[in-house]
Amino acid sequence: SYDIPAGTLRAFGGGGGDVTMSDSFHVVGPADGTPLEFTAQLVLLGSATRTLCQFGGAGVNGRLLEGSSNAADTIVTAPPCGTRNLNTTLEVQVHRLSGERFQISASVGAGGYEGGSEYINGTLRFAGLPEGASVVSCNGFYQGPPVPVARGSWGELKTRYR
């Protein structure tokens, strides 16, 4: 399954499956035409387990693609009689002008058979944007600028929750 507004993808075992989320994005905030360099990221968490030592298999994979060829990929397969976890972030550098549309596709896959089990979750995000910049997509994704947080004391926190 996937949720474009949340930027999340999920695939899990039971014969396996692949999920691809694709959308058109652009950066708002800086004046249109401002040259930008930032990073698209796909945060991946998953696991592949093989319970049968001599048979079966399990694996998970992820891919992040900007445009038609700017890609990052990963794949993890389970060892015999064991589990291999995946905890990584795929990154691609994006060079665009503010307001210019660019295509991002994110994919996750999970596959197993005969004693294999697997799952993978992915979250799309963007890093290295200039101050005040937001990323939006045609289908509802929105990543706004960071919000400053006021520092408080332990005493103030206890008072609020009493």
Side-chain angles (χ1 to χ4, degrees):
S1 65
Y2 65 88
D3 180 342
I4 291 177
T8 58
L9 304 99
R10 178 180 168 184
F12 53 92
D18 296 312
V19 177
T20 299
M21 175 178 77
S22 186
D23 204 354
S24 177
F25 295 80
H26 65 282
V27 176
V28 297
D32 281 354
T34 302
L36 302 172
E37 183 176 325
F38 55 95
T39 305
Q41 300 176 326
L42 183 59
V43 179
L44 298 171
L45 294 172
S47 179
T49 300
R50 188 170 152 192
T51 56
L52 299 176
C53 298
Q54 300 196 19
F55 303 101
V60 294
N61 62 75
R63 178 178 179 121
L64 179 62
L65 175 67
E66 184 263 331
S68 61
S69 61
N70 186 12
D73 302 277
T74 191
I75 187 167
V76 167
T77 57
C81 297
T83 298
R84 187 162 290 134
N85 294 314
L86 174 67
N87 182 354
T88 193
T89 301
L90 300 179
E91 296 185 340
V92 294
Q93 292 297 311
V94 181
H95 304 275
R96 298 291 174 173
L97 301 175
S98 181
E100 179 184 10
R101 296 213 175 264
F102 57 95
Q103 191 75 23
I104 294 281
S105 296
S107 303
V108 295
Y113 59 96
E114 292 186 34
S117 65
E118 60 286 324
Y119 76 91
I120 185 168
N121 296 310
T123 303
L124 179 66
R125 67 183 185 193
F126 296 88
L129 293 161
E131 188 174 320
S134 300
V135 178
V136 296
S137 82
C138 291
N139 290 300
F141 178 90
Y142 174 80
Q143 179 182 310
V147 178
V149 177
R151 186 169 178 88
S153 72
W154 176 244
E156 289 173 308
L157 180 63
K158 288 193 301 187
T159 301
R160 284 188 190 157
Y161 288 98
R162 284 191 180 174

